[in-house]
Amino acid sequence: MSFFEDQEGPIPFAGSGSDEELAYRYYDPDRIVAGKRMEDHLRIGVCYWHSFSWLGSDIFGHGTFDRPWLDASADPMEAAMAKQDAAFEFIEKLGVRFFSFHDVDMAPEGSTLAESRSNLNTLVERAASKMESSGVQLLWGTANLFSHPRYAAGAATNPDPEVFTHAAAQVRHMLDATARLGGHNYVLWGGREGYETLLNTRMRQEADQLARFLTMVAEYKHHIGFEGTLLLEPKPQEPTKHQYDYDCATVHGFLDRYDLLDEYKVNIEVNHATLGGHSFHHEVAYAVDNGILGSVDANRGDPQNGWDTDQFPNSVDELVPALYEILWGGGFATGGFLFDTKLRRQSMARADLFHAHVGGIDTLARALVIASSLVEDRTLENVKDERYLGWSGEMGRQIMSGELDLGSLADLAVGSDLDPSPVSGGQERLENVVNRAIWSVD
Ligand code: XLS
Ligand code: NI
Ligand code: NI
């Protein structure tokens, strides 16, 4: 049975001059950019939850989307199979290589943990054969530790160790499933790992619990020989008032404190960066600089709204600087761009899913090509080299090697009557360099 019968075959690459609506203008998988195929740079993935499991409801209204595979009156396992058929048909027609899912998106929860696991395993085996025949791969798996009421006060950070234990079972099952499907990564997003009020919360106790949980997950990963990368997904708040995995720097400090830096990297989501008061560029640059870049959840927020709108990316300007950092850092290893994106509630038609993904993928593709021209051009790096040149000179070397302490440095300043003169940061000139690349590169 076909769910997307109006879309015949895979979306073609038609070039920037095309007037075909559902065609790629820039996403040309085989095009070589900076020595690598475009598809291998971007590693685009479709997410199961927003695209196939969600009916478009919001806190004020019911679902609006036309999703025949989500028939509430159907048998839950039958419905999960129909959803899987819809997902694979869509991914193949979109022509991308990856997808990601939570345990509960793929299979219905049973009335016991054992039943949930058996449901999951049935659907995972079915997914395995679809992956085999289509060549679609799993970018990452994850367990939903935030929707069920038992997780209202957190999963690993719950005051009740029984909830921690329940979460451990769910993650074990989902790590097994991810390994079975050859997943490239495993993600932990701590949606409820935070607090609503400090009046009832012990932050240090909860941090210790979270670290213990993450340590157990890493040990289990090695125990089963899973080779994917473990990723934490920072987000500052929503649904909780304050989430512990606030942003990349907070996660980095946490991993360092609990000796987990060798085991985890980050999955950066664009809209989470902006919710945290950062730019996406900032979060990516932080992760690249500190060796923790894992993967990206591609989406965008709305500058007028203070929540996670998860819209499809459509701004080349926003993505170019971040892609520049990713390329400069050597690109993704096991990560990719996962479309953790939601249609607007009024985009009810099934075809809207295609329009949204095609536009987002083209935006990423165009940003990649522009960023690569900036890397090649080297103007930005030359400016940085020049700006920090003093640090490879004698004074910089003496300071950083520890040769000079504060007193001897002060003596040196006084003795030589030091009077350094400020130099221009040249910001507008550099913004012009970026814009010229955006305007001229095809
Ligand atoms: C929610 C998160 C979620 C994770 C996976 O804000 O982005 O979708 O990516 O649990
Ligand atoms: Ni996400
Ligand atoms: Ni989000």
Side-chain angles (χ1 to χ4, degrees), residues 330-356:
F332 289 128
T334 57
F337 283 103
L338 193 264
F339 274 75
D340 192 351
T341 38
K342 284 149 95 170
L343 290 170
R344 296 306 85 193
R345 189 165 177 264
Q346 294 177 61
S347 303
M348 303 166 184
R350 273 172 265 169
D352 289 317
L353 271 177
F354 280 112
H355 290 285

Side-chain angles (χ1 to χ4, degrees), residues 49-50 140 189 233 267 269 272 297 299 308 310 338 340:
W49 51 105
H50 297 321
W140 45 267
W189 169 60
E233 183 175 326
N267 182 38
E269 182 164 319
H272 298 182
D297 278 1
N299 58 25
D308 194 18
D310 290 334
L338 193 264
D340 192 351

Side-chain angles (χ1 to χ4, degrees), residues 80-97:
M81 289 179 204
K83 190 206 293 186
Q84 194 179 72
D85 292 343
F88 276 86
E89 183 186 347
F90 179 81
I91 296 164
E92 285 179 64
K93 287 186 169 171
L94 191 64
V96 300
R97 211 198 303 155

